[in-house]
């Protein structure tokens, strides 16, 4: 049940299921929690961007965290990014009291120099408390904040409570190697690295030094197997499985519509009852659903998980 | 006590006063409410960007609104912009129940086409309720959303509940004339226009068709007088007063430090007890305070309001 | 040799080959021109973003255009986007005089409202001449300018000389259908649509109404075959071929490193002598080359084109 | 005739005058060069953003530089920022050969981390040559690149050929003091600082450590006198003169219309024949001209330079 610099494996980024009336679907949330655990997840991350955290009211965020933490047998990490450090700190304290293993924090588009980035994370750590373990999110494509390797080292040096990098820069592979090289030479302290980017580069990331994946692809069980194949040195088999899933991974990774695809797949797999999103969101047309169904059918020929 | 398409005069954008321990300073909030009213304000706008709305917790926003609405004898407009439409709608309903005259809504940097802008305000109006009067904020310099004159007309046509434009584009003067011309020719329906931009162009805006000002400059009494002089056709006198204040107006209008200057001036004028900001914020050095004091002393020779 | 509203097929976006001393490699440029034609391209697009157009001096741009136009037996479209409308117009006139079939024009990040977008393309068409056929580039991920479907219709209505949409929004599939539906209902005039985004969605785009592809993937011959399979209604076969290439397509589509991967593949395929980029550019490490070689070897098992 | 770390005084940013047919107005360019020198400028900066450099063709840039350099008796600094380092380097070499005193280089909105910024200026210095003296432009409001004080120190340490900071961050006053403090303590090497921002904070900048101004306000003679008054310790007199000009300074400093105002004032003062801009540009309505004329008339009561 630990979340620390040794953390490995797959931490799915959980979707937040809603009912057609846009209220939180608590039954589906339970089912989804079980789904991730049954898939072999070593942890679960909730209230991230793709968990529609920004569309929730504070009480809802709290209740969702309470529900998942109470049900999960694995560590739960909670996204607490918020324009208000006061609100960030409050949610962090509440979820840590509820038993969260840690929190996740991102920057924002307003941060345009290393000094501004450093100040942001100082303020954030002050807000969540110096002792709260946290994951640093490096996701420039969506967040528009660029963390260079030296800047990541600086944040890690400034904040011993940061235990993990959620790595989703683009390109990521060389950056992984650069960070691991810096750590090997003693220039950077150790921390866990889980990769994201929807899984788009999971075929090479473990070889480059990642400890696993933190992403929301609707087949976390396949991510777990890819990770296992890599750990066992079965490069070709890992690539075969990855290549089979790549057409769907790519559909989920599209900005603007990716979450809709993901929720549809989670619904098709029985993990949630309804794929609706709160606004602003995207509703899939029947045409898109047909395309995804077609890709699912193609995948099912190679991976029985998709035979649904 | 109305807030509608006929609204005129000065609506100060209220600061949010904090105590040195960063809690809301309720006594200062009362004093500030009185200060604005005594200055001749025809309304008060709270929880705007410069009210540090993004740094408050939801309960605090609610309590601040309740306190100001209960004390004020003029209409109170409440900023409800929020990345979550759910949270926006909830705050809007709460403050309207408390007696607010209306709400204020802005776009955000993610809106990069007229279609996206239109969708945003549709979602917003759905969230706050079709009957809630609201002001549309046009502030590209900070919000990075550009509302062309035809787009403003489209929003106004789509949403009869929008009663006011808070105009702070840059340049603003020609845009004011273009909107008023469109209204005069029947191409756009009537609505109130209050100008902002920290007051930087208040010397010409009334002649261009504005109905008054909605900005947070620390001398709202001077804004009221400028407005009166303009209404009375005393162009030279209005400019004399404006020019005397311009050095301070310009100090307040700087991104990044403007709010600190404004709060310092409000403190010097006795309207709030402490000029501290929540993080991320700016603390003035003694050097800056000396510079502002020097400008105040210079102003005092022309406007006795500054003799403090 | 036409470039018009009926244009179909594959228009590769040409790379610009350099020698190790950073001068233009004219021999490789000839070889690359032949390579695209031999691949079955129905046209060639030069001096796009991935052609490193922004890193060339004006004389170089002109000479490259002259060389490719003189050698090619298919229509050549020339990217002329430039912060200076004067420079845009001059290059457009020069390349049209040299025999270019048309030009390609994009917006830029400063365009944040439909009015600004409309003005930009009015200025551009004035600069290139009302009679010069042009392709409109819709690429928000890189250009940060968002063209809604109604806005595309407006540009097309304003400018009869625009004959093609280079479609690379994200998500693109629904947008393709929306445009084709608008055209079918008479709400939008006809024009050609070639899709880009590095080919990432080429498995579905022809079914959605695209006329082909305009993208720089290093296997244009495979793109031509995918296009043919789609036109023949061989959906499964088209997907099989697409899926085989997707791991490489994805590597090329990464912002920041994609062009380096593309040039390396073009070099491996013998189309250019050297994969160097002008600055700012990215040099591939041996590790990345090994990864691409591994993907190439995997691809070769399914597509003999990759057996190199 | 030196441009170096000891440079002081006023370097006007020159406008580029056009004829009604949009060709460069060479006679006006000569007249403008004389105007700046007669105003007491210690140098002239040409081909900056407000010189419409981005709207010129390369030959025009070269000819303008040649003309001004040949005529001027003071150092001429030439803006060479360009998306193409090749083009930047070429223009830099050409103007240095023509006798320019140095060049000016800015970043761009794509630079979002200190590493990216450092790489940009390394590439730039490689392009212009290690021996070419240059000014670093710090203008986040328009360029969207943020240079922290430590980052400025890093650029200065990396590049001994950088002799000047063109300072126009917002707020700028505290940053000036921080840089001068770092230099005083030996933490940063010496360099000249000229301030810009249209002159909006010239009333305090010299006291904070600036060596003068590099800005395009249409009354460079007034800037020279303000600078002199400050050097002589006449604080009140400097503020009196500044305050008199502030209403016009503010009109010129507006994004989007500022240059139109500036060119109109230069035309009114007889320095150029026509105030037209190349596209995209802004044409002043008669209403705006009347407003500026009114401000000019008000200014003339305090400063005879405005009696025109």
């Amino acid at each position: 049940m630990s979340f620390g610099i040794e953390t490995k494996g797959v931490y799915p980024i959980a979707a937040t299921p809603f009912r057609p009336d846009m209220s939180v679907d608590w039954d589906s949330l339970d089912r989804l929690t079980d789904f991730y655990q049954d898939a072999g997840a070593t942890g679960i991350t909730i209230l991230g961007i793709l968990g529609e955290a920004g569309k929730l009211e504070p009480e809802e965020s709290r209740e969702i965290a309470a529900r998942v933490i109470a049900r999960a047998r694995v560590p739960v990490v909670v996204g607490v990014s918020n324009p208000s450090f006061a609100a960030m700190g409050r949610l962090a304290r509440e979820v840590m009291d509820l038993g969260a293993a840690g929190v996740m924090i991102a920057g924002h588009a307003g941060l345009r120099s290393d000094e501004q980035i450093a100040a942001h994370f100082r303020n954030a750590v002050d807000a969540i408390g110096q002792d709260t373990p946290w994951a640093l999110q490096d996701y420039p494509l969506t967040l528009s904040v660029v963390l260079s390797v030296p800047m990541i080292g600086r944040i890690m040096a400034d904040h011993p409570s940061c235990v993990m990098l959620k790595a989703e820069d683009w390109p990521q592979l060389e950056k992984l190697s650069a960070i691991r090289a810096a750590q090997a030479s003693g220039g950077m302290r150790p921390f866990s690295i889980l990769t994201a980017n929807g899984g788009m580069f999971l075929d090479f990331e473990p070889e480059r030094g990642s400890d696993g994946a933190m992403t929301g692809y609707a087949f976390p069980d396949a991510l777990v197997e890819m990770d296992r194949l890599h750990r066992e040195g079965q490069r070709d088999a890992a690539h075969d499985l990855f290549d089979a899933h790549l057409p769907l991974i790519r559909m989920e990774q599209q900005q603007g519509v990716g979450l809709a695809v993901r929720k549809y797949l989670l619904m098709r797999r029985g993990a949630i009852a309804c794929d609706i999103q709160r606004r602003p969101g995207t509703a899939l047309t029947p045409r898109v659903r047909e395309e995804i169904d077609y890709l699912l059918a193609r995948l099912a020929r190679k991976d029985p998980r998709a035979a649904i």
Side-chain angles (χ1 to χ4, degrees), chain A residues 22-250:
Chain A
M22 292 299 183
S23 64
V24 176
D25 179 349
W26 301 104
D27 289 342
S28 284
L29 188 63
D30 288 346
R31 228 191 305 162
L32 189 62
T33 305
D34 296 345
F35 170 80
Y36 290 135
Q37 291 191 117
D38 295 346
T42 54
I44 300 174
T45 304
I46 61 173
L47 303 182
I49 297 169
L50 284 176
E52 298 177 68
K55 306 175 193 168
L56 300 170
E57 297 193 49
E59 297 81 357
E60 293 174 326
S61 298
R62 214 145 46 220
E63 284 176 59
I64 289 169
R67 187 97 168 199
V68 175
I69 291 167
R71 191 173 187 94
R73 300 175 308 273
V74 294
V76 175
V77 172
V78 182
V80 296
S81 296
N82 196 300
S84 158
F85 287 114
M88 178 193 294
R90 179 164 164 180
L91 181 60
R93 284 189 307 276
E94 288 173 337
V95 300
M96 293 307 290
D97 285 347
L98 289 167
V103 301
M104 182 168 68
I105 306 175
H108 58 79
L111 306 176
R112 301 198 66 123
S113 76
D114 286 10
E115 296 307 304
Q116 292 176 335
I117 294 168
H120 175 80
F121 288 105
R122 266 200 309 277
N123 284 336
V125 170
D126 282 353
I128 66 170
Q130 307 280 346
D131 294 334
T132 303
W134 60 286
L136 169 64
Q137 198 170 0
D138 179 17
Y139 190 17
L141 195 65
T142 290
L143 301 171
S144 295
V145 58
V146 174
L147 303 178
S148 66
V149 172
M151 189 66 221
I152 290 171
R154 180 174 166 183
I155 295 170
M156 293 294 174
D158 285 353
H159 305 292
S161 56
C162 185
V163 299
M164 177 183 288
L165 178 70
K166 184 185 180 211
E168 45 190 333
D169 198 352
W170 210 11
Q172 181 62 62
L173 297 178
E174 289 295 295
K175 200 171 179 177
L176 279 176
S177 294
I179 292 169
R180 289 315 194 194
Q183 292 177 321
S185 71
M188 211 183 282
R189 71 165 173 83
F191 49 85
S192 169
I193 304 180
L194 301 188
T195 61
N197 256 327
M200 284 282 285
F201 301 94
L202 255 181
D203 49 346
F204 287 113
E205 286 163 344
E207 294 176 357
R208 293 297 199 122
S210 73
D211 295 305
M214 185 186 276
T215 188
Y217 179 49
F219 286 84
D221 34 2
L223 299 182
V224 168
E225 188 180 345
M226 282 177 219
D227 191 62
R228 182 183 59 76
L229 290 168
H230 267 297
R231 304 298 157 202
E232 296 172 356
Q234 301 196 51
R235 193 187 213 200
D236 287 347
H239 275 268
D240 287 344
L241 183 58
F242 175 83
D243 288 357
H245 281 270
L246 185 53
L248 276 178
I249 286 174
R250 165 220 40 176

